[in-house]
Amino acid sequence: MKFKLTSIAAAIILSPATFAADMEDIERLTVKGKYLSVNKSNSIKSPTPIIDVPQSLSIMTAEEITARGITSVGQIIDYTPGVNTSQGEGHRDSVVFRGVRSSADFYLDGNRDDVQYYRALYNVEQVEILRGPNALLFGRGGTGGILNRVSKKAKTSETFVNYNVSANTFGAYNLQLDTNVDTGDKSALRINAMYESLDNHRDFFYGDRYGFNPTARFELSDDTIVDVSYEYIDHERFIDRGVPTANGEPVEAFEEIVFGDPDNNYQTLGADVFRANVEHTFSDNLKGNFNAFYGDYDKVYSNFYAAGYNAETEQVTLDGYVDTTQRENMILSSNLVGEFETGSIGHTVIFGGEVINTKSNQDRYNPVFDSTDGDRETFNISRPLSFRGLTGTNAEGVTVTADFSDLNDDTHVDLDVYSFYVQDEIALSDNFDLVLGARFDSFDIEVFNADPEVLETRSRKDEEVSPRAGLVYKPQKNISIYASYSESFLPRSGEQYANINGDANALDPDTFTNQEIGIKWDFNDSMSFTAAIFENEQTSLDNDPNDPESFVEVDSDVSGFELQLQGYITDKWYITANYSNLDGENASGVELRELPENTMSVWTTYEVNEVFGFGIGATYQDESKVSTSATSPVLPSYTRVDASAYYTLSDKMRLQLNVENLTDTLYFPNAQSTYQVTVGAPINARLSLIGSF
């Protein structure tokens, strides 16, 4: 089914009389869930209420993350329309934003956070997911959407200590501490810390991670606020890339088998992240934000995985590699937000710039089996496989060993990005707002290929302008109807800047365009409804199969619509419900991978009395293809039911139970390839003690 904006706009742009008569004006209060980045570390760079933002977005606050027992970005994605998870090879967050897979469109307080790892949530105030191309405010990438974590900041005039201790039925446990100290009338110190011991339903799984994040705030004057922050990240975990497929779907009989080496499937990450932000009010009509970000990351990723499967002989072919990344990101950014009028027309103008320097060294080594003198070997399927510690018995009964000695690539990247942007939110009248803007990016990359057999340096410079336009009509202050157009691009060096070898050195960036029409309706100050229809188009260049010296355009298209309902039905009854319908194909008419046509989720909580409450929810994902090919296997559709309950022990302590997969459904949420499909977790429960001193 293909949706075109011209044919279904009437389904969204409805007469406001259909919804409500005159309603009370909704004040622009800084309320969580009403604004993006309520602590002023702002994703959209201006203090614009959600109802006035001409694009689809979702927010989950820290309170909701805690109440629902959420510990990962993937769990947030499960209950967000228009997005779904990808496997990420078992070592990173990976999201499919409206059909566009990404491991790099992640941000922290609006700063690019593109290293591949699993992000913790212990120190976030809220998580924001903006959908559609977002290049104007975020630069290259953001082709289908972005995910921004807003960090907790120190609070002046407050002193508190909050804690969260939890454990689940797999044996994992988590300790979190959030303490804030008022160090004077104009300063404060806040420390967030966490330790998590990891475990799950899969054999050999292990891991732990530490996070330590002190922040300080200094109110230098009534007009100037300085926030400084340091975060230490230490993360180690087992890597599991799932099970193979046969007859077009995952092999359920293998749900308990891990196709990897218990000793050589792991990821380690160490990182130091420094941030400083200065907010200054020049006047009632002019404010500035100046930000410095530095991150130093050291990551190792090692794994074996199923690269082939023979159903007749019940044998699996293993492949693998060990990959290291050392990256330094330095980001300097600033923006000015000014408000003024020209005659009867109001303007909120954002003018900003960004300078990024990234140095990234990465290498990869493939294994060499002594039996094949290559990187693959075949083993009989058993639990566990007869392969451990780089030694095992192959399918022919011969003892084999492997060694990571074959250099696959070794690249050293130096990237410089210079950007500036301007956007004007124009209040044409009490009912009409026009948003116009554009961003210029200069993307200059140099890649040294240190492979002794290559030893070459390549470079490429791309300069792109990304426009954005939106029209917002507000028949009432609590209803907005909008239409928007935006563009984005992704250089051929890719999300992780691995190389620009081969033809990529000569190719222009991929380009993305988005058209969207939607409605946002705040019934009152506690319930809202949003709906949007959209179409995303991608254009890229590739080799012409009929003429190797020429290039042809290769297009893909994703269209669909989303619905969101969120808020309180009564003072005690809360609900959030989402639905999305997506349809996408490439230029050959083949359906895109990991693009379920229908996804739905609902979560509702009810406060029975002052001390007890419960919640229940479900997430549904339609079937989707593992790869973009006509013969791709399929991930079956599934419904997962989750539940929660809490009991308040005192004014400062509550006991909370969260249950995932209440019906113990066997499901396969995502995949990396035909032979690597993720096995969803069976029923499991997390018990938490949450409180404060």
Side-chain angles (χ1 to χ4, degrees):
M1 186 176 181
K2 179 87 168 180
F3 292 96
K4 290 295 182 181
L5 299 184
T6 54
S7 63
I8 61 173
I12 296 298
I13 304 180
L14 302 175
S15 167
T18 305
F19 297 120
D22 293 338
M23 300 182 67
E24 295 180 1
D25 291 348
I26 296 178
E27 296 178 353
R28 293 191 171 190
L29 300 176
T30 305
V31 178
K32 292 179 180 179
K34 281 289 186 185
Y35 284 67
L36 284 174
S37 304
V38 294
N39 67 351
K40 299 182 182 179
S41 179
N42 199 305
S43 285
I44 56 171
K45 315 297 184 185
S46 69
T48 304
I50 289 175
I51 197 170
D52 294 338
V53 179
Q55 71 178 108
S56 298
L57 56 95
S58 300
I59 291 177
M60 185 172 288
T61 64
E63 288 81 0
E64 189 172 4
I65 289 171
T66 299
R68 293 168 65 169
I70 289 174
T71 60
S72 69
V73 167
Q75 290 172 298
I76 296 176
I77 296 299
D78 286 342
Y79 282 88
T80 303
V83 295
N84 50 284
T85 60
S86 187
Q87 186 189 92
E89 296 178 294
H91 69 100
R92 62 178 183 256
D93 290 319
S94 186
V95 183
V96 185
F97 296 98
R98 289 182 173 176
V100 180
R101 298 169 70 244
S102 177
S103 64
D105 289 322
F106 296 91
Y107 292 80
L108 177 61
D109 291 334
N111 293 293
R112 185 174 293 273
D113 179 32
D114 56 17
V115 176
Q116 296 179 332
Y117 68 107
Y118 285 109
R119 291 153 181 84
L121 302 174
Y122 73 102
N123 59 346
V124 302
E125 191 70 35
Q126 63 187 38
V127 175
E128 307 163 347
I129 301 176
L130 286 71
R131 297 181 289 283
N134 288 275
L136 187 140
L137 298 178
F138 296 97
R140 86 278 183 186
T143 51
I146 67 99
L147 186 149
N148 181 55
R149 291 175 297 145
V150 180
S151 66
K152 295 177 180 178
K153 306 294 190 300
K155 298 182 178 181
T156 56
S157 303
E158 293 188 39
T159 297
F160 57 80
V161 178
N162 298 324
Y163 63 87
N164 186 334
V165 180
S166 66
N168 71 14
T169 49
F170 293 133
Y173 59 90
N174 184 292
L175 311 173
Q176 295 183 23
L177 182 69
D178 178 5
T179 179
N180 190 89
V181 179
D182 182 18
T183 57
D185 292 339
K186 301 293 184 180
S187 63
L189 173 67
R190 187 171 186 174
I191 297 176
N192 278 273
M194 63 89 72
Y195 170 75
E196 184 175 14
S197 176
L198 303 172
D199 204 349
N200 71 8
H201 60 295
R202 302 283 283 164
D203 287 345
F204 317 124
F205 191 88
Y206 71 91
D208 54 33
R209 59 181 175 181
Y210 308 81
F212 178 66
N213 182 202
T215 68
R217 168 163 287 192
F218 305 95
E219 296 179 354
L220 303 183
S221 69
D222 292 340
D223 297 323
T224 305
I225 299 175
V226 177
D227 288 296
V228 294
S229 170
Y230 163 72
E231 183 177 12
Y232 170 72
I233 302 169
D234 187 297
H235 185 188
E236 181 178 5
R237 68 186 294 145
F238 181 78
I239 300 304
D240 175 19
R241 295 180 63 165
V243 301
T245 63
N247 301 316
E249 60 184 23
V251 183
E252 294 187 1
F254 297 159
E255 64 171 297
E256 296 184 342
I257 298 178
V258 173
F259 293 86
D261 177 4
D263 298 324
N264 289 283
N265 277 45
Y266 64 87
Q267 175 228 284
T268 62
L269 172 74
D272 298 280
V273 179
F274 301 86
R275 304 192 302 277
N277 188 78
V278 179
E279 296 178 12
H280 182 72
T281 301
F282 295 96
S283 68
D284 291 342
N285 299 320
L286 182 62
K287 299 180 181 180
N289 186 293
F290 310 92
N291 186 275
F293 177 99
Y294 172 78
D296 186 359
Y297 308 86
D298 190 350
K299 178 182 175 182
V300 177
Y301 170 48
S302 176
N303 71 130
F304 283 91
Y305 56 88
Y309 165 60
N310 189 319
E312 294 183 359
T313 61
E314 290 291 301
Q315 294 176 345
V316 64
T317 299
L318 294 189
D319 197 350
Y321 56 83
V322 58
D323 188 295
T324 70
T325 299
Q326 297 85 40
R327 183 172 300 170
E328 294 181 62
N329 283 342
M330 171 66 79
I331 304 173
L332 301 175
S333 61
S334 64
N335 66 77
L336 296 173
V337 180
E339 296 179 292
F340 61 92
E341 294 182 353
T342 55
S344 61
I345 299 177
H347 299 266
T348 300
V349 176
I350 312 168
F351 179 78
E354 187 175 55
V355 177
I356 300 176
N357 176 254
T358 295
K359 298 185 184 299
S360 186
N361 298 336
Q362 47 267 320
D363 60 49
R364 176 171 294 186
Y365 284 85
N366 294 329
V368 177
F369 286 92
D370 61 357
S371 53
T372 64
D373 200 29
D375 60 358
R376 296 191 176 194
E377 180 57 280
T378 300
F379 297 87
N380 292 321
I381 295 178
S382 60
R383 183 188 183 205
L385 294 179
S386 180
F387 183 66
R388 182 163 189 161
L390 298 177
T391 302
T393 303
N394 68 10
E396 298 177 356
V398 176
T399 299
V400 300
T401 61
D403 182 33
F404 289 110
S405 58
D406 178 24
L407 179 64
N408 185 80
D409 61 66
D410 183 1
T411 55
H412 302 177
V413 174
D414 193 349
L415 171 68
D416 290 298
V417 180
Y418 303 93
S419 310
F420 65 86
Y421 59 87
V422 61
Q423 177 179 279
D424 191 1
E425 300 175 15
I426 307 168
L428 300 174
S429 68
D430 291 340
N431 303 104
F432 281 99
D433 291 341
L434 179 65
V435 179
L436 295 174
R439 179 187 182 108
F440 171 80
D441 283 282
S442 174
F443 183 93
D444 192 351
I445 186 170
E446 181 178 275
V447 179
F448 171 60
N449 192 333
D451 185 336
E453 297 183 3
V454 181
L455 290 179
E456 67 173 2
T457 299
R458 291 194 174 214
S459 63
R460 178 177 175 87
K461 185 174 184 178
D462 292 301
E463 296 182 339
E464 297 287 334
V465 175
S466 303
R468 178 188 188 186
L471 180 64
V472 180
Y473 171 57
K474 299 189 69 175
Q476 297 175 180
K477 288 189 176 181
N478 63 308
I479 297 176
S480 68
I481 301 168
Y482 68 88
S484 69
Y485 173 86
S486 56
E487 294 183 3
S488 187
F489 72 97
L490 182 65
R492 284 308 181 98
S493 53
E495 295 178 333
Q496 299 300 323
Y497 328 118
N499 61 68
I500 48 174
N501 295 329
D503 293 329
N505 189 53
L507 298 179
D508 291 335
D510 294 348
T511 59
F512 300 79
T513 63
N514 176 74
Q515 304 168 71
E516 184 171 324
I517 296 173
I519 185 170
K520 300 180 181 182
W521 176 27
D522 289 341
F523 302 119
N524 48 48
D525 60 357
S526 61
M527 176 68 75
S528 64
F529 170 78
T530 65
I533 56 176
F534 57 86
E535 184 172 26
N536 292 345
E537 297 179 347
Q538 175 183 357
T539 300
S540 60
L541 291 177
D542 207 345
N543 289 106
D544 186 342
N546 300 317
D547 183 1
E549 297 183 359
S550 301
F551 302 101
V552 294
E553 284 192 357
V554 178
D555 299 326
S556 62
D557 182 279
V558 178
S559 57
F561 65 90
E562 301 170 1
L563 306 173
Q564 296 184 85
L565 177 69
Q566 184 175 16
Y568 283 88
I569 298 175
T570 69
D571 291 343
K572 297 184 177 182
W573 185 10
Y574 172 83
I575 188 170
T576 175
N578 305 295
Y579 171 76
S580 65
N581 182 286
L582 299 172
D583 178 42
E585 59 185 34
N586 62 15
S588 301
V590 178
E591 179 183 342
L592 300 179
R593 63 174 296 187
E594 292 186 306
L595 188 68
E597 181 178 356
N598 300 287
T599 58
M600 291 178 282
S601 66
V602 62
W603 179 262
T604 184
T605 58
Y606 186 76
E607 181 184 339
V608 177
N609 52 43
E610 292 182 356
V611 298
F612 176 71
F614 65 91
I616 190 164
T619 177
Y620 168 81
Q621 181 171 295
D622 216 343
E623 68 176 30
S624 61
K625 300 180 68 173
V626 172
S627 66
T628 302
S629 70
T631 58
S632 169
V634 171
L635 296 174
S637 63
Y638 69 88
T639 299
R640 193 188 75 216
V641 178
D642 305 323
S644 71
Y646 70 87
Y647 183 80
T648 302
L649 301 173
S650 70
D651 291 343
K652 294 186 176 181
M653 184 183 298
R654 86 170 179 268
L655 193 64
Q656 179 176 300
L657 177 68
N658 296 91
V659 181
E660 183 181 80
N661 197 1
L662 187 64
T663 57
D664 200 24
T665 299
L666 175 61
Y667 69 103
F668 304 92
N670 49 47
Q672 178 65 27
S673 75
T674 298
Y675 304 108
Q676 299 152 43
V677 178
T678 303
V679 182
I683 182 172
N684 63 96
R686 176 178 293 273
L687 186 65
S688 304
L689 184 66
I690 302 165
S692 62
F693 298 110

